[in-house]
Amino acid sequence: MLFMLIRRVLLGGVTVCIVSLIIFSGVEMLPGDACTQFLGEYQADDELLAQCRKDLDLNRPAIDRFAEWTQGAVSGDLGLAADGKTKISTIVGDRLKNSLLLAFCAMSLGIPLALLLGVISGLWRDRLPDIIASTLAIFAMTIPEFVSATLLILVLSIWLGWLPGIVLTSAAAPSSEFFPEILLPVIVLSFVMCAHIMRMVRSSVIDVMASDYIQMATLKGVPYWQMVFRHALPNALLPAINVVALTIAWLLGGVVVIEVVFNYPGLGRLMIDSISDRNLPVVQSIALIVASIYVCVNLAADLLTMIANPKLRTMYMRKQ
Amino acid sequence: MPQPAFIEIKNLSVGYTSRSDKSILVLRDVNLSITRGDSVGLVGESGSGKSTLALAAMGYFKRGLHVISGQIHFDGIDMLNIERNALQRLRGGRLALIPQNSGQSLTPNLRIGQQITEALRLHSNIPATDFHAGVIDLLSQVRLPDPVGLTDRYPHELSGGQQQRVAIAMALASNPEALLLDEPTTGLDVTTQAHIMELLRDLAKDRNLAMLYVSHDLGAIARVCNKVMVLYAGETVLTGSANQVLLSPRHPYAHGLLASIPRLNEASLPQALDGRPPMPSETITGCAFADRCKLADQTCRSSPPPLDHLESGETVRCFHHYQIGQLNRKPQKSAKSNPIATCKNSALSLSNLSVSYSQPGLFSKLFRSQDIPPSTVERITIDIKKGETLGLVGESGSGKSTILKTIAGMVPAQSGNIILNQTEPLDTMVEKRPAAYLRQVQIIFQNPDDSLNPRHTVAQILAQPLRLYYGLSGTPLRDRSIAILEQVRLGEHYLERLPSQLSGGEKQRVAIARAFAADPEIILCDEVTSALDVSVQAAVLDLLDALKRQDGTTYIFVSHDLAVVKAISDRVAVLYQGRICEIGPVAAVYSAPFHPYTDALIGAVLEPDPDVAPRLTADDVVELSPPKTGCQFQRRCPRKLGSICEINIPPAQEVAPGHIIHCHIPQGDL
Amino acid sequence: MTLSSASYQQEKGRLVPVMKDILARPSGRIGLTLVFLHILLALLSPSIAPYDYKLQNSALMLSPPSTEHWLGADHLGRDILSRTLMGGREALLVTGIATPLAVMWGGFIGILFGLVGGRVDEVLMRVVDAFLSLPWILKMLVLIVTFGTGIGVLIPTLTFFYGIPVIRVARAATHDIIARDFVWAAKARGHSRISIIWRELLPNVLDTLMVEGAMRWSWMLLAFSSLSFLGFGVSPPTPDWGLMISDARGFMSFAPWGVIAPVIGLSTLIIGINLSADALAKALGIDRAQKAPM
């Protein structure tokens, strides 16, 4: 068990290392560097560029700078933004907090709903509740987020006037001030994430309900709902863990389009703004944060599956 | 004085609705009644509707199936019009099921103790505080070792035999009055199966149960049932006492089925029952069995035979049951060709072959370097003559398939030599072997569903060896393919079919055809009949034997079924944990003197004869790896001598010319 | 099993029966019809569009639907019907080229590494994981911002990034197939590596890749229109649904028709592709719900 755990964590660490390497070399390979971008507007002459590169320490070999960057990132110091003044950690900090808030709200609405709908449509396969839920899921999965967001704003905010359609709170404001503006983006996000999880859970419930052990439980005289909760669901929900993890990683990774539509000050919008401004140090940092979140969430899902699945658990715990 | 029926099924027809809205019958007008103390065997091939009938007795139908007509009563209770709560109380209560494949029928996330407790909670009056004691009592009743420890285990941590016993314990929790058994021993090893059958037999006797035992295995039926009903294509074709049905069957199908079972006391191949049962969707005008029946005439094809009630108490659905004597029960098959005497040249020789699957990973290399497990297969030395059929027999984990894979170059040998035709070494993996050697060794796998590419037509499948080894194409390729297909008794029209359009037996014939297309010296047969029905198995064995006699091919035939191996082989090697226990001519191995393991295996075989009881010598413990030193069988051996068996490798004793037994017990005492 | 003997003879290729199976399902019929209509429209729209898509008429600015302009006009006074009809051309062109390319390169690499296995494979999977852990929009925007927004940039960018998840799928499918007995049988007969890949592996992996391709297509369309919506896709005045929605959003409270027309255009296409992909997966016997979203 311990070996397995260490192995998984190490592999996750390796992935993060590769990510940072990709990010760093990706940025290195782009034409121009921080200085040509920063000074680009002034038609910088060679002398000015040389001075700038010296200031920003760009003349050292890439490997040295990579080492320094990663060292800083590990200790929480993400360096300075492209203007050479602002600390990246301050810019990113607030946005990260806001993104976490949005993700948390969407998760607490979307995941229970998705599991419930998935189980219901799996149990009542091909009957009315299933047909309605499955059709809605197809729409939620296929229609682009900006389309459903725009339509919801049109209906709920403009026509009915129930909810504010746009977030006007500033990035640094405390979390409580985002209500009720955050509700509409939360609804759209839960709608989208719900669909993937629901479809997965549905097919897993159908598989399990057709299994020999459910037939056996029925023929053992176990009452229906007891059978569903004791025999079916614990096994049917196991494979959902990984899908939920992927969805959470997607939520935390900055849902750019939604943030743009609702003007929400999260990581996603910071990312897009930084890319437009060519503020590459900030882009690098965001990429690293998002990738680390992705790896961590998936790692957590793997470990959770291992603990929740008796087959895997006993494989590592009891060595006969 | 007839007792009132306990389980009574009257005129039951069950069917499903096809995609094209047609109603398709799975069971047709079936009657069945079981009284207390009776145990009825339900026999039939796959697709005959026997499982559907058994589950119907519990008022249960698989998704899609529905009752078209008929009644089902259990102790006077109408099972088709019963309210849900009462049904739940009956199921697993007075009427319990022991399922097929317990490994999949036990809920994977619940511990053994929890699952049996659930049965106790639902169906017994004992107070909750006594549940634990009750569980342990049940587990010991089914003779499971360490019942206390078992309660904490999950199903997947148990061996197949243990899982089956847990399922039996669970069924017994409610102290049922009737027991339904749906193929309860299918897929278990011979010795395990024999032990479970004895347990069931004792239970039925002790508790005066009404039992319905579904199986395709007539040996198992013979052991526990006093009455037998034979189903064919959803219809009852024969009922009678076990002795009547199994010893002098009055229906041509039952007759053919019994004749197709290979038996330990016969030297010849079983008689094949050609053809296959009709699909439920086919319309049948006359007798469903007419196409495969030797007695069939015009009447059989035009009108359906009624179920005749004979004076002897049997019922038979056949116009010609009085002519059954015309079917020769034991046809005088020409004795098997005996190549040992005729041919001295070695086709393949294995010397001191050993194989190990465990490749120590980085961690174990670093930390537990001393702890290297013993090899999976070791000390295999066999010389196979040209034209000979060598049977390799043993239970699961005996290493028999591993040996085949090593010969085929799919698994690397750890040490030892494999030499083809006395001079050509096969010591490399398949990628590095010269093409000429490859052609000479062909392999046929157990499951044709997996060994035929689902995207290839039969023509494409057969073209592969023909192109590769003979460079055929165009008309010669097609002609040769047709010729080979005819050799395996399939017509030209099969060429364009995909594997999904063939029956199990047809698929295996195509796989055999593919192997013979290479015109090989040696064919490796890996459990080639295990996935097939008995009647189909007989046809495949017959085909293999005919082809061999025609081409003089050498076979290495791996199987867990001792009777099958006996029927087809010239020489047999008995394996346990990857080591040879005994090897010799087939007649010698199957008669005394025995290696203790061979004795245990042969004793455990269930014959389709109610008068033959198995002898159980060794325990049915499952061992995961061979012992580090000494004899491979030491832990289960009923005749273990002492420490000598634990320390020293048993010597090879030649008890008769060519008959070698590896055992410490002196020759005279074996 | 239920095939009648007459249909054995017709079973030549697999395309015909698979196509029949797709069309036998309502989802397949609706989906394929939608996709077909959209492709037809993309080809014909320049000649059937009633007005020039770039013709601005300040008198018509944000005018509601009328008999001359059935769907009204946008904030620059351009005819919305004409722009909606032509709004899928760019998207279909770019994704129509990039999807097969992505499936091809991802499939090729995935099969290759699935076959090679061992250390090389382990390392590659780490790199694939690393790429997947980055948000798609970040990866693509960095390239687009640097190199520009033309088709010449969009197609290679989409091809590259959408091929990476295909690697994973193709590799997993390869692992499943090579463990099966028919591959062992071919190896034991001594067929060459190429022959085994070509005859045994590919026909089986291809099913998975086809379904994967259909799904990638719809996701790529999502990505493409999202990029347009964010202003990083096609450049104005080229009509594109994503861009049109983005432009019309600001006037949504008093001119909602500007949003609704392109929303319908985009949604019907993506739903069409998804329904077809669903039907294809079922016809080939691959369950699509089990696939995790990427």
Side-chain angles (χ1 to χ4, degrees), chain B residues 32 34 37-43 179-181 183-184 197-198 200-202 204-205 209-229 240-247 606-612:
Chain B
L32 172 68
I34 306 174
D38 251 359
S39 78
V40 175
L42 204 51
V43 180
L179 213 48
L180 303 175
L181 302 103
E183 304 254 16
M197 294 315 298
E198 291 315 294
L200 289 173
R201 206 176 136 87
D202 294 349
K205 228 186 293 167
L209 295 171
M211 243 166 60
L212 179 59
Y213 190 105
V214 175
S215 184
H216 68 282
D217 181 350
L218 291 163
I221 298 262
R223 197 64 200 129
V224 290
C225 300
N226 57 354
K227 288 182 184 165
V228 178
M229 171 163 156
S241 72
N243 276 320
Q244 287 168 330
V245 173
L246 296 175
L247 297 180
L606 300 173
E607 291 275 336
D609 184 338
D611 303 330
V612 180

Side-chain angles (χ1 to χ4, degrees), chain B residues 19 276 279 281 408 410 430-431 438 441-443 445-447 449-457 464-465 467-469 493 496-498 500-501 514, chain C residues 1-3 5 7-9 11-12 14 21 24-25 179-193 195 199-201 203-204 207 284:
Chain B
R19 260 209 219 175
R276 69 175 191 200
M279 293 289 172
S281 53
M410 285 150 53
V430 65
E431 292 88 356
L438 287 169
V441 182
Q442 296 290 313
I443 181 161
F445 293 87
Q446 168 172 9
N447 187 350
D449 281 326
D450 211 39
S451 68
L452 301 179
N453 191 330
R455 296 278 168 273
H456 288 178
T457 60
Q464 291 205 329
R467 276 219 187 88
L468 180 71
Y469 301 130
H493 57 283
E496 298 309 320
R497 293 195 190 176
L498 288 168
S500 57
Q501 295 162 336
R514 178 173 68 183
Chain C
M1 186 161 144
T2 45
L3 277 170
S5 62
S7 67
Y8 287 142
Q9 308 298 328
E11 272 274 348
K12 274 270 179 190
R14 256 173 34 94
D21 194 324
R25 299 166 192 277
R180 294 186 56 184
D181 280 348
F182 63 81
V183 176
W184 278 113
K187 276 189 197 164
R189 277 198 304 274
H191 286 282
S192 67
R193 221 161 226 266
S195 154
R199 282 176 210 276
E200 311 289 342
L201 194 65
N204 290 290
D207 282 3
L284 295 174

Side-chain angles (χ1 to χ4, degrees), chain A residues 16-17 27 32 38 55 59 67 111 116-117 147 154 172 181 190 208 221 227 241 243 248 251 262 267 277-278 292 303:
Chain A
V16 174
C17 289
V27 169
F38 183 48
D55 289 349
N59 290 330
I111 294 175
L116 187 71
L117 285 178
V147 170
L154 185 65
E181 293 165 350
S190 343
V208 167
M227 177 195 79
I241 295 176
V243 184
I248 293 176
L251 273 177
F262 291 101
L267 265 191
D277 298 347
R278 311 220 171 180
S292 314
L303 296 181

Side-chain angles (χ1 to χ4, degrees), chain B residues 191-207:
Chain B
T191 47
T192 312
Q193 162 170 320
H195 276 94
I196 292 203
M197 294 315 298
E198 291 315 294
L199 173 66
L200 289 173
R201 206 176 136 87
D202 294 349
L203 285 173
K205 228 186 293 167
D206 296 348
R207 301 182 175 223

Side-chain angles (χ1 to χ4, degrees), chain A residues 202-230:
Chain A
R202 175 182 180 268
S203 83
S204 172
V205 167
I206 289 175
D207 279 355
V208 167
M209 289 304 285
S211 70
D212 286 351
Y213 56 86
I214 291 301
Q215 178 185 316
M216 185 60 212
T218 309
L219 292 176
K220 198 173 139 188
V222 182
Y224 185 77
W225 287 108
Q226 205 171 319
M227 177 195 79
V228 168
F229 284 107
R230 250 174 89 90

Side-chain angles (χ1 to χ4, degrees), chain B residues 107-412:
Chain B
T107 308
N109 66 309
L110 297 176
R111 296 170 197 272
I112 300 304
Q114 289 175 303
Q115 305 203 35
I116 300 177
T117 306
E118 186 177 46
L120 284 173
R121 184 166 49 76
L122 292 168
H123 299 296
S124 76
N125 306 324
I126 67 170
T129 44
D130 292 351
F131 282 164
H132 189 66
V135 169
I136 288 166
D137 178 47
L138 284 166
L139 289 176
S140 17
Q141 275 186 48
V142 293
R143 299 170 205 161
L144 274 167
D146 186 23
V148 182
L150 268 182
T151 55
D152 274 339
R153 298 269 146 170
Y154 287 98
H156 70 269
E157 297 179 272
L158 274 54
S159 70
Q162 288 174 322
Q163 289 168 341
Q164 201 58 55
R165 279 164 202 254
V166 168
I168 297 173
M170 204 157 77
L172 296 181
S174 62
N175 221 344
E177 296 161 62
L179 213 48
L180 303 175
L181 302 103
D182 187 5
E183 304 254 16
T185 57
T186 306
L188 298 181
D189 275 329
V190 208
T191 47
T192 312
Q193 162 170 320
H195 276 94
I196 292 203
M197 294 315 298
E198 291 315 294
L199 173 66
L200 289 173
R201 206 176 136 87
D202 294 349
L203 285 173
K205 228 186 293 167
D206 296 348
R207 301 182 175 223
N208 196 29
L209 295 171
M211 243 166 60
L212 179 59
Y213 190 105
V214 175
S215 184
H216 68 282
D217 181 350
L218 291 163
I221 298 262
R223 197 64 200 129
V224 290
C225 300
N226 57 354
K227 288 182 184 165
V228 178
M229 171 163 156
V230 184
L231 279 180
Y232 186 78
E235 271 183 325
T236 313
V237 293
L238 177 67
T239 62
S241 72
N243 276 320
Q244 287 168 330
V245 173
L246 296 175
L247 297 180
S248 55
R250 300 291 291 262
H251 190 280
Y253 169 66
H255 187 276
L257 196 61
L258 275 158
S260 69
I261 301 173
R263 291 163 197 251
L264 279 184
N265 55 10
E266 274 170 41
S268 59
L269 280 171
Q271 201 179 359
L273 184 59
D274 291 328
R276 69 175 191 200
M279 293 289 172
S281 53
E282 288 171 40
T283 31
I284 304 158
T285 44
C287 173
F289 187 62
D291 285 344
R292 303 170 76 183
C293 184
K294 292 201 176 89
L295 298 178
D297 58 17
Q298 205 47 50
T299 343
C300 298
R301 294 199 168 83
S302 56
S303 56
L307 200 59
D308 275 354
H309 295 263
L310 309 185
E311 270 176 35
S312 55
E314 296 157 276
T315 56
V316 187
R317 191 183 296 279
C318 181
F319 291 117
H320 307 294
H321 59 79
Y322 53 87
Q323 294 175 321
I324 203 82
Q326 290 178 10
L327 293 173
N328 194 354
R329 174 73 199 277
K330 284 174 192 155
Q332 255 357 99
K333 274 228 154 195
S334 54
K336 280 183 289 185
S337 48
N338 197 346
I340 299 183
T342 55
C343 194
K344 285 268 188 275
N345 289 338
S346 158
L348 187 78
S349 106
L350 311 176
S351 57
N352 222 356
L353 186 69
S354 67
V355 186
S356 176
Y357 276 118
S358 74
Q359 287 165 335
L362 190 65
F363 277 129
S364 35
K365 266 187 205 153
L366 285 176
F367 299 111
R368 344 182 173 115
S369 46
Q370 291 88 4
D371 196 26
I372 299 165
S375 308
T376 316
V377 167
E378 214 168 83
R379 302 191 301 272
I380 302 295
T381 300
I382 306 175
D383 190 45
I384 301 141
K385 306 281 181 238
K386 274 204 162 75
E388 185 184 28
T389 298
L390 175 78
L392 295 182
V393 70
E395 292 173 298
S396 52
S398 64
K400 51 198 192 303
S401 290
T402 305
I403 295 175
L404 280 200
K405 285 188 178 142
T406 312
I407 297 171
M410 285 150 53
V411 171

